[in-house]
Amino acid sequence: RDARVITMTRQVLLFVSLLSIGSVLGQVSYTIPEEMAKGSLVGNIAHDLGLQTKRLASGKARIYTRGSDEYIELNRERGVLLVKERIDREALCRQTTPCALHFQIILENPMEFYTVIVQITDINDNAPTFKKSEINFKISESTITGAKFVLERAVDLDVGINGVHHYELKPSDNFALKVHNNADGNKNVEMVLQKPLDREKQEQISLVLTAVDGGEPQMSGTMLIVITVLDANDNAPVFTQTTYKATVTENSPKGTVVAAVTATDADQGSNSKITYSITNSVDDVRKVFDVNEENGEVTLIGNIDFEESQNYQINLLASDEGGLTDSCKLTVDVQDVNDNKPEINIMSKSNVISENAKFNTVVTMINIDDKDSGENGNVQCFISDNLPFVLKASTNNFYSLVTDSELDRERASEYNITVTCSDEGVPSLSSSVTLTLQISDVNDNAPVFERSSYEAYIVENNTPGLSIFTVKARDADWNQNARVSYILEDSSVNGVPVSSYVSVSADSGVIHAVRSFDYEQIKDFQFRVKAQDGGSPPLSSNVTVKILIQDQNDNPPQVLYPVQTGGSLVAEMVPRSADVGYLVTKVVAVDVDSGQNAWLSYKLQKATDRALFEVGLQNGEIRTIRQVTDKDAVKQRLTVTVEDNGLPSRSATVIVNVAVADSFPEVLSEFTDFTQDKEYNDNLTFYLVLALAVVSFLFITCLVVIISVKIYRWRQSRILYHSNLPVIPYYPPRYSDTLGTGTLQHVYNYEVCRTTDSRKSDCKFGRAGSQNVLVMDPSSTGTMQRIQSEKSILDEPDSPLEVSPSVTE
Ligand SMILES: *[C@@H]1O[C@H](CO)[C@@H](O)[C@H](O)[C@H]1NC(C)=O
Ligand SMILES: *[C@@H]1O[C@H](CO)[C@@H](O)[C@H](O)[C@H]1NC(C)=O
């Protein structure tokens, strides 16, 4: 305050000197700072004007101010000007400089006035201010450096040096402050971008702009500048990895998520909205995979086949809406699944193989192919056991099916060979193929007759051409090799070619009789039939056929005794003393047939006295059945029927004359009546003797015949069918065939009776096992129709009937 007073005083002195020059006008000026306290001294006006304080009082000195408030008052007693009101320069003059108060001091008696100018000087009592305490900017981060942003100026009511002096902007990382001095003295304040903004680093920047004045002390005002950094698409999306790996098993269903890729974008909003896509163009990746645009999940949309492609390279692109992109690669390895069956390819194949094919003959070649890999593609092939084939593996999945053992079409004419191939996957897949192989025939089988030998029966007296029997041979071969022809082999029967006996039908094997057979001439014969197949060379076999001729009852019994002579008369003598059962004679008959057909039975057909004689049914013995009496006629005539057992039976009748007498004369006398022809009477004795001789002769003949037959049969058994002996037309009454081959079922002992004594019968039974044994096979002997047991024959009662004696003539 002292300093101001000094300067003020100097100014007053200056004005006083002016005043003294133009005292008329009387002008004084003072300079005071604003904002002085009330009552502060402005100036000693009395002194400066050179007036006495008395004059001031007498002149009623006062201040005259036009229209305005009075800031200054006049103290008349002391003759000084004092501050009456607070003087605010800014309110008084605003920005006008210099700022002065003009008023007059008026005096009366005499009227005098003086002009007083009080100059108000500025003091720094106002700080710079901004209109807004905060302003906002929105600036894109992409704004280039050098961009300018106009800021509001600060206002300082003070003037001069106390006005706004300069500005400061803090912090000054991105922006610099640039102030232009305008022509009107104002300052334009601008903010210039010096370093690019990065929203990603700092989204909002707060700056403080400070305006500082030049007063003492300095004053300042601040404004907050808030900058919101707007996003620009300045960041590309970035994948989290540059390469991704994934695996997928083949045959995974569509829609399977294989992998997920992720990209990030530092930008904001739409600039960070990422869209994923697949960019492969040449391969077919896009047909197999799809990526979810929004979340980057890679899914299957096609079929994954390991056999087609074992891995996929997927190029993925992430792009934001601003068009910035990043790419990455996804490698998808496909894992094999055992999804392919082994394929069996038949490369060459024979459908037919000969049954005499050698070992190791290749039948079929096959090739195996499995598309899978590793274990899944390792294939093993096999065929079922028990086949005469083996599967041989050669390199490169080639197999050959070869024969392993002998083939036999007759055992198996066809093979279904199933080749099964399986891989080693888990689970294993397999496939199979069935090869049908025909075995072709080779003539390796001879015809085989159904039986090792044949025996056929034919009844004698057959019609020539009759089919006797059929031989049959089978050939296991096929077709022509199995076509059997039958051939009669040359041989001779009793010196005659066999072809004159039988013929064989080549096709059917039917054996025909060429001629009619006579059992009494030939009983059996045998020959060989050859069966030959049509193979080349042909194979053959032969069989023995034995034809047995069966007897027919075609011969009637022949009576050997008593001999039936034409006119002579033979009689048997029976003494009157003969007892019951006296053997009168024996009728002897034979039948050249055999068996039942030669089995003779004797019956008394007619008799003079039926009560006196009986005939032994089997032996033909005529015996008395009661005591002969004197009443009985000498002449007795018996008619005996000899009947064989054939069907139909044949018979012969013999008349036996019996004389019941004790002596020849009696007989003779009687027999003269006995004979119808009287011419023999004289010679009766001769005849009787002759008759006896004949009987004896016949008996001996009979014995000779029996012995000779025995000898014959013995010889025949030795040279059976091989001799050229003429056929003996006579056989003893016994069935003596021992050549039957059937099982021994019935044994017939045939009774041979010879009369060795006139009173007794002499019966000798044949021994079993000799010629006297009849062996029959009823199953094959069709003509044997009547079968009687030996017992029933032998047990036939032979006892004479007891009848009352009566003579019948
Ligand atoms: C082979 O197969 C065929 C057809 O399936 C069949 O007719 C034939 O009987 C079979 N052969 C054998 C020997 O199994
Ligand atoms: C008949 O067959 C036998 C073997 O069964 C043989 O030994 C014989 O030689 C054959 N005979 C003829 C004439 O072929």
Side-chain angles (χ1 to χ4, degrees):
R1 180 155 288 270
D2 295 340
R4 263 196 294 172
V5 172
I6 292 163
T7 55
M8 198 170 53
T9 315
R10 233 181 320 165
Q11 284 173 341
V12 170
L13 288 172
L14 175 67
F15 280 102
V16 169
S17 61
L18 285 171
L19 207 67
S20 51
I21 296 162
S23 59
V24 178
L25 285 175
Q27 185 175 336
V28 68
S29 98
Y30 298 97
T31 299
I32 58 165
E34 59 175 332
E35 305 285 349
M36 290 186 70
K38 278 182 193 172
S40 300
L41 176 74
V42 178
N44 193 343
I45 188 78
H47 171 264
D48 293 336
L49 290 176
L51 297 171
Q52 298 290 325
T53 49
K54 288 180 208 159
R55 173 58 190 152
L56 289 180
S58 64
K60 295 182 190 168
R62 53 186 169 90
I63 289 171
Y64 170 71
T65 307
R66 250 179 313 178
S68 56
D69 297 334
E70 282 185 12
Y71 293 97
I72 305 290
E73 63 176 353
L74 180 65
N75 190 325
R76 286 180 220 156
E77 285 81 41
R78 288 172 57 201
V80 292
L81 292 173
L82 298 173
V83 175
K84 186 183 174 190
E85 291 284 329
R86 186 183 77 95
I87 302 164
D88 185 5
R89 192 203 68 82
E90 286 74 29
L92 212 59
C93 303
R94 299 177 185 278
Q95 293 295 305
T96 313
T97 51
C99 176
L101 293 171
H102 295 264
F103 59 88
Q104 280 79 38
I105 292 178
I106 298 167
L107 296 165
E108 294 170 10
N109 299 326
M111 194 70 112
E112 283 177 306
F113 69 89
Y114 302 92
T115 297
V116 179
I117 298 167
V118 177
Q119 197 167 342
I120 311 294
T121 60
D122 186 38
I123 64 165
N124 193 20
D125 59 348
N126 285 288
T129 56
F130 292 93
K131 210 183 274 170
K132 296 177 188 162
S133 62
E134 183 183 322
I135 58 168
N136 287 299
F137 284 100
K138 288 188 175 173
I139 305 171
S140 167
E141 58 177 328
S142 64
T143 307
I144 51 165
T145 54
K148 296 173 185 168
F149 303 90
V150 176
L151 302 176
E152 196 190 321
R153 282 177 295 192
V155 173
D156 194 327
L157 293 178
D158 296 325
V159 293
I161 196 147
N162 293 331
V164 176
H165 182 259
H166 66 273
Y167 292 90
E168 285 169 10
L169 185 65
K170 279 187 182 158
S172 57
D173 297 341
N174 295 91
F175 292 95
L177 209 55
K178 194 168 180 189
V179 181
H180 292 279
N181 290 314
N182 285 348
D184 60 359
N186 283 329
K187 288 174 176 165
N188 270 354
V189 183
E190 284 173 343
M191 188 166 74
V192 180
L193 184 66
Q194 284 195 315
K195 190 177 141 199
L197 296 174
D198 188 358
R199 188 204 64 79
E200 288 70 37
K201 234 186 254 171
Q202 201 173 9
E203 203 170 345
Q204 205 164 46
I205 303 173
S206 296
L207 300 175
V208 177
L209 181 65
T210 310
V212 183
D213 60 19
E216 189 68 34
Q218 267 187 340
M219 300 186 81
S220 65
T222 60
M223 178 175 72
L224 188 63
I225 303 170
V226 177
I227 298 169
T228 304
V229 183
L230 294 180
D231 186 47
N233 193 24
D234 56 346
N235 284 286
V238 177
F239 276 105
T240 54
Q241 289 169 245
T242 51
T243 53
Y244 292 85
K245 272 194 189 299
T247 53
V248 64
T249 52
E250 67 171 324
N251 301 335
S252 293
K254 292 179 185 175
T256 303
V257 176
V258 177
V261 295
T262 317
T264 52
D265 192 311
D267 293 324
Q268 207 181 23
S270 67
N271 291 334
S272 67
K273 187 152 190 284
I274 296 172
T275 307
Y276 299 91
S277 60
I278 294 176
T279 56
N280 296 51
S281 53
V282 267
D283 47 21
D284 56 357
V285 161
R286 284 210 263 185
K287 288 181 194 153
V288 181
F289 296 98
D290 188 30
V291 66
N292 186 313
E293 276 194 356
E294 287 173 14
N295 61 17
E297 272 184 0
V298 178
T299 52
L300 275 184
I301 55 165
N303 292 324
I304 284 275
D305 189 353
F306 178 81
E307 286 70 41
E308 249 172 51
S309 181
Q310 295 174 7
N311 74 40
Y312 289 91
Q313 304 286 340
I314 306 175
N315 298 321
L316 288 156
L317 188 76
S319 47
D320 61 20
E321 303 227 320
L324 296 179
T325 59
D326 188 19
S327 64
C328 74
K329 184 163 279 192
L330 170 61
T331 304
V332 178
D333 288 326
V334 181
Q335 284 178 336
D336 187 35
V337 163
N338 193 19
D339 61 343
N340 286 285
K341 284 182 176 182
E343 262 176 44
I344 304 174
N345 303 310
I346 297 170
M347 310 191 61
S348 74
K349 167 185 176 195
S350 32
N351 292 320
V352 179
I353 183 170
S354 169
E355 62 177 319
N356 63 0
K358 294 196 180 70
F359 287 177
N360 277 332
T361 302
V362 176
V363 178
T364 303
M365 298 270 300
I366 56 176
N367 171 243
I368 313 299
D369 184 21
D370 193 317
K371 293 214 172 67
D372 294 319
S373 54
E375 303 263 285
N376 295 340
N378 274 359
V379 179
Q380 299 294 331
C381 291
F382 52 89
I383 59 171
S384 47
D385 298 338
N386 313 326
L387 287 176
F389 303 97
V390 285
L391 201 59
K392 282 193 178 165
S394 48
T395 50
N396 277 346
N397 283 338
F398 282 98
Y399 287 85
S400 51
L401 184 69
V402 299
T403 56
D404 183 34
S405 60
E406 260 173 42
L407 301 173
D408 185 4
R409 191 204 65 84
E410 285 71 38
R411 209 175 53 229
S413 65
E414 185 187 64
Y415 287 98
N416 287 336
I417 307 157
T418 302
V419 179
T420 307
C421 295
S422 359
D423 59 29
E424 289 170 6
V426 178
S428 162
L429 292 177
S430 66
S431 52
S432 63
V433 68
T434 298
L435 308 163
T436 300
L437 183 66
Q438 305 282 346
I439 309 300
S440 68
D441 189 41
V442 165
N443 192 23
D444 55 354
N445 285 281
V448 174
F449 280 97
E450 285 175 342
R451 294 165 70 170
S452 58
S453 67
Y454 290 91
E455 230 176 61
Y457 296 87
I458 181 169
V459 177
E460 61 175 332
N461 305 322
N462 58 291
T463 52
L466 181 75
S467 81
I468 305 171
F469 179 64
T470 304
V471 292
K472 187 113 190 93
R474 296 192 186 282
D475 193 307
D477 292 322
W478 185 73
N479 208 3
Q480 193 65 26
N481 292 338
R483 184 166 296 164
V484 177
S485 309
Y486 302 92
I487 299 157
L488 180 65
E489 292 207 338
D490 264 351
S491 62
S492 61
V493 175
N494 295 340
V496 182
V498 73
S499 55
S500 63
Y501 283 85
V502 287
S503 67
V504 176
S505 164
D507 290 344
S508 58
V510 176
I511 295 170
H512 294 274
V514 170
R515 59 159 77 165
S516 180
F517 296 113
D518 184 358
Y519 176 81
E520 285 72 35
Q521 281 180 28
I522 183 164
K523 282 185 176 166
D524 55 25
F525 61 98
Q526 57 186 17
F527 53 89
R528 284 184 166 268
V529 174
K530 185 163 87 173
Q532 178 172 306
D533 63 24
S536 170
L539 297 174
S540 64
S541 62
N542 62 57
V543 74
T544 303
V545 180
K546 182 172 184 181
I547 302 284
L548 297 162
I549 296 155
Q550 288 185 327
D551 186 39
Q552 227 181 13
N553 196 16
D554 56 347
N555 289 288
Q558 284 173 295
V559 179
L560 299 180
Y561 180 88
V563 179
Q564 300 293 292
T565 54
S568 64
L569 186 119
V570 178
E572 305 287 340
M573 284 267 286
V574 177
R576 289 195 183 272
S577 58
D579 287 335
V580 174
Y582 177 81
L583 177 65
V584 180
T585 187
K586 181 175 165 73
V587 177
V588 178
V590 292
D591 195 315
V592 293
D593 293 324
S594 56
Q596 297 275 344
N597 294 335
W599 185 10
L600 301 180
S601 60
Y602 303 85
K603 278 185 198 135
L604 186 61
Q605 193 189 30
K606 242 162 63 180
T608 311
D609 184 354
R610 285 194 82 90
L612 187 54
F613 300 104
E614 63 158 15
V615 177
L617 186 63
Q618 265 95 44
N619 52 22
E621 287 174 352
I622 300 172
R623 289 172 188 271
T624 57
I625 50 173
R626 67 169 166 81
Q627 190 70 49
V628 180
T629 64
D630 294 342
K631 291 176 192 165
D632 289 322
V634 174
K635 292 189 293 182
Q636 296 282 342
R637 190 182 164 93
L638 309 174
T639 308
V640 175
T641 311
V642 185
E643 204 176 47
D644 64 26
N645 208 14
L647 262 183
S649 70
R650 288 172 178 263
S651 62
T653 318
V654 63
I655 294 167
V656 180
N657 291 315
V658 177
V660 180
D662 283 329
S663 63
F664 249 125
E666 191 183 359
V667 175
L668 287 174
S669 66
E670 281 297 324
F671 266 72
T672 43
D673 304 336
F674 203 61
T675 53
Q676 281 89 25
D677 204 341
K678 301 289 186 200
E679 61 182 299
Y680 296 103
N681 281 357
D682 295 337
N683 298 321
L684 181 64
T685 308
F686 168 75
Y687 283 124
L688 284 171
V689 169
L690 187 70
L692 279 170
V694 166
V695 167
S696 305
F697 172 75
L698 281 174
F699 186 75
I700 289 162
T701 308
C702 194
L703 278 174
V704 167
V705 164
I706 289 167
I707 290 163
S708 64
V709 164
K710 279 208 161 211
I711 291 166
Y712 168 77
R713 291 203 57 96
W714 173 75
R715 285 186 61 193
Q716 202 188 33
S717 70
R718 296 189 61 186
I719 53 167
L720 192 64
Y721 297 116
H722 297 292
S723 76
N724 292 334
L725 287 176
V727 175
I728 294 173
Y730 171 74
Y731 290 85
R734 69 188 66 165
Y735 192 90
S736 57
D737 191 339
T738 58
L739 299 174
T741 53
T743 51
L744 191 71
Q745 291 188 343
H746 296 273
V747 176
Y748 287 81
N749 283 345
Y750 211 85
E751 178 186 358
V752 175
C753 299
R754 282 161 293 181
T755 309
T756 51
D757 185 294
S758 62
R759 292 201 147 256
K760 291 177 183 170
S761 70
D762 173 17
C763 293
K764 292 178 180 167
F765 291 98
R767 284 153 298 183
S770 76
Q771 290 100 319
N772 290 339
V773 176
L774 170 64
V775 180
M776 287 200 301
D777 182 355
S779 61
S780 58
T781 309
T783 52
M784 211 68 179
Q785 295 187 350
R786 264 183 79 180
I787 299 153
Q788 282 180 288
S789 75
E790 176 201 5
K791 203 157 176 66
S792 70
I793 296 164
L794 296 178
D795 288 351
E796 194 94 18
D798 204 9
S799 56
L801 284 168
E802 200 69 20
V803 290
S804 61
S806 67
V807 177
T808 51
E809 195 51 46

